[in-house]
Amino acid sequence: MTYLSQFSPQDQAYMRQALELASRATMATSPNPKVGCVLVKEGVIIGQGWTQPVGQAHAEVMALRDAATQGNQVQGATAYVTLEPCSHFGRTPPCANALIEARVARVVAAVEDGNPEVAGRGFALLRDAGIGVEHGLFASEAREMNIGFFKRMETGRPWVRLKMAASLDGFTALPNGQSQWITDVAAREDGHRWRARADAILTGVGTVIADDPQLNVRLPELDIVLNHQPRKLIVDSRLRTPISAKLFQTGSTTIFYSENDAERESVLLDVGAQMCRLPEVLSDNRVRVDLLELMHLLGREQINELHVEAGAKLSGSLIQAGCVDELLLYLAPKLLGQGAAMFVLPELQNVDQARSLKIHEMKQIGEAIRILARF
């Protein structure tokens, strides 16, 4: 194990800079991880970069190009990188080879790559070339930045974040179904930023019928920078999605179903839906889509982060199936008295049976309290 005390204050400062650079790649690199790289020689930053959109240069190559553009010689420099340099040929050549060819003297990495095709091989290549290698500096921060990538590499499934907005007494809507707006503008805009970092947004057909959501990112500053829109996914076992649904108007929409109905399939295909039939499971005496199989399918499709905005039934089913990693809750300072609950879960006989979570973060956003809680 590598301890923080083994790294100098200068090492720590340069790695924090690399982490800041990696954050600039948010929403642009998936399915690749977000990585930042800083090249330092004789106490001076001579090049820096971050991962570009998929198929383009990785952080290390961008930093080397930056150094070359400035006329800086990289030989003998230290490379601070937030993830182990890759060792395999994918869409781009190995970054470890690029650093070897540049003749850097030392590589400090935050964390080992979770990809089985790398997983220490990048470090081995560097060491075999006579380059000093250390890793473990701000590993938890680097892993957190790519939490979906690591989850997919380790389990074959995406990191699933379930978002809910509710009153302080735990209701998401009035008994008549009215829910707009429990939270204020600031909380709703913050929710769109969480949507934007995801690869896909999942909802259920009940929400589509009741609310007719767009399920897209509506933040002008994000559209200007990246025009990033996650894929839209609907769980609809019996193909009840209306062809007039707003979510068909923009972006890719996939419907996951289990019931064989060729006529409805054809109608939905005609409005641009992508159709995917999944195995059935019996739940609450009803045939439903196998949610765990859905998660494995999304992992195979290289979805790193899945953002869920669904009703109480689907949300509860996802929790029961063990598919949810994190709750993103916005609690507004309001009391509704009665209304729709956040989740439909089985009745418990004693408190010891309750599902336990850990509070990862609490922050005030506008008037609401945002809670990140993890299973």
Side-chain angles (χ1 to χ4, degrees):
M1 179 179 291
T2 305
Y3 295 94
L4 185 63
S5 59
Q6 294 178 235
F7 295 98
S8 71
Q10 291 77 19
D11 288 335
Q12 296 177 41
Y14 294 133
M15 186 60 80
R16 288 204 181 278
Q17 173 66 9
L19 287 166
E20 192 282 324
L21 292 170
S23 70
R24 300 184 192 183
T26 301
M27 299 175 288
T29 67
S30 192
N32 293 335
K34 302 176 282 290
V35 182
C37 179
V38 174
L39 297 172
V40 178
K41 188 173 183 179
E42 297 176 356
V44 177
I45 294 176
I46 61 170
Q48 52 189 340
W50 59 91
T51 308
Q52 299 302 293
V54 64
Q56 299 182 38
H58 292 186
E60 297 92 326
V61 172
M62 293 300 294
L64 292 170
R65 289 178 183 174
D66 182 43
T69 299
Q70 298 180 60
N72 294 324
Q73 297 297 317
V74 177
Q75 181 180 349
T78 295
Y80 295 88
V81 60
T82 59
L83 186 71
E84 175 185 3
C86 60
S87 58
H88 66 296
F89 281 87
R91 298 180 179 91
T92 60
C95 294
N97 287 0
L99 293 173
I100 292 168
E101 291 169 8
R103 301 176 67 185
V104 302
R106 178 180 178 232
V107 171
V108 179
V111 66
E112 183 178 292
D113 197 330
N115 186 343
E117 294 184 3
V118 184
R121 293 181 179 88
F123 292 149
L125 276 176
L126 295 167
R127 290 190 177 105
D128 288 346
I131 296 172
V133 176
E134 300 166 68
H135 74 282
L137 178 57
F138 301 137
S140 59
E141 289 89 338
R143 185 181 176 90
E144 182 73 24
M145 186 172 289
N146 289 295
I147 197 164
F149 172 79
F150 279 98
K151 170 77 184 295
R152 180 169 65 85
M153 288 296 115
E154 292 165 0
T155 69
R157 295 185 280 140
W159 178 267
V160 180
R161 181 177 296 110
L162 175 55
K163 180 255 183 180
M164 283 280 177
S167 60
L168 284 181
D169 47 356
F171 298 114
T172 62
L174 296 174
N176 64 10
Q178 183 182 347
S179 62
Q180 297 181 344
W181 295 104
I182 290 176
T183 54
D184 63 4
V185 172
R188 297 198 297 274
E189 288 185 351
D190 189 69
H192 275 269
R193 291 186 178 89
W194 285 94
R195 279 186 182 183
R197 65 173 281 169
D199 301 311
I201 303 173
L202 177 75
T203 194
V205 65
T207 297
V208 175
I209 292 171
D211 299 336
D212 196 16
Q214 297 181 61
L215 285 190
N216 57 1
V217 178
R218 297 187 297 279
L219 287 172
E221 71 270 23
L222 295 181
D223 290 339
I224 291 169
V225 174
L226 294 169
N227 194 28
H228 170 77
Q229 290 295 340
R231 289 175 55 187
K232 290 171 284 187
L233 314 176
I234 309 171
V235 175
D236 181 8
S237 296
R238 293 179 289 154
L239 296 178
R240 296 185 295 133
T241 301
I243 60 173
S244 60
K246 290 178 182 175
L247 45 73
F248 290 130
Q249 297 173 10
T250 56
S252 170
T253 301
T254 303
I255 297 176
F256 298 96
Y257 66 104
S258 57
E259 187 170 294
N260 187 16
D261 187 332
E263 183 176 346
R264 281 296 295 166
E265 288 178 47
S266 178
V267 168
L268 290 165
L269 284 168
D270 286 343
V271 296
Q274 299 177 37
M275 307 299 293
C276 181
R277 190 176 180 189
L278 288 173
E280 301 174 343
V281 293
L282 187 64
S283 176
D284 299 328
N285 296 317
R286 293 180 59 186
V287 173
R288 301 179 186 274
V289 165
D290 187 331
L291 295 174
L292 195 57
E293 176 57 32
L294 171 57
M295 296 304 135
H296 283 289
L297 171 63
L298 295 179
R300 293 192 293 273
E301 293 186 358
Q302 297 188 304
I303 299 295
N304 287 334
E305 289 191 21
L306 177 66
H307 182 92
V308 180
E309 295 189 21
K313 290 182 180 179
L314 177 56
S315 297
S317 295
L318 286 165
I319 291 172
Q320 284 182 259
C323 297
V324 179
D325 297 290
E326 179 175 67
L327 300 182
L328 172 63
L329 304 179
Y330 294 88
L331 298 182
K334 298 175 181 177
L335 300 175
L336 300 186
Q338 298 183 42
M342 286 190 274
F343 318 109
V344 173
L345 293 169
E347 182 179 346
L348 304 180
Q349 299 304 311
N350 60 70
V351 175
D352 292 340
Q353 295 174 306
R355 296 174 184 269
S356 296
L357 297 91
K358 293 182 179 179
I359 301 298
H360 180 70
E361 180 187 274
M362 292 183 65
K363 185 176 181 180
Q364 184 163 351
I365 305 292
E367 295 181 350
I369 298 296
R370 184 185 72 192
I371 299 174
L372 284 175
R374 293 179 174 175
F375 288 94

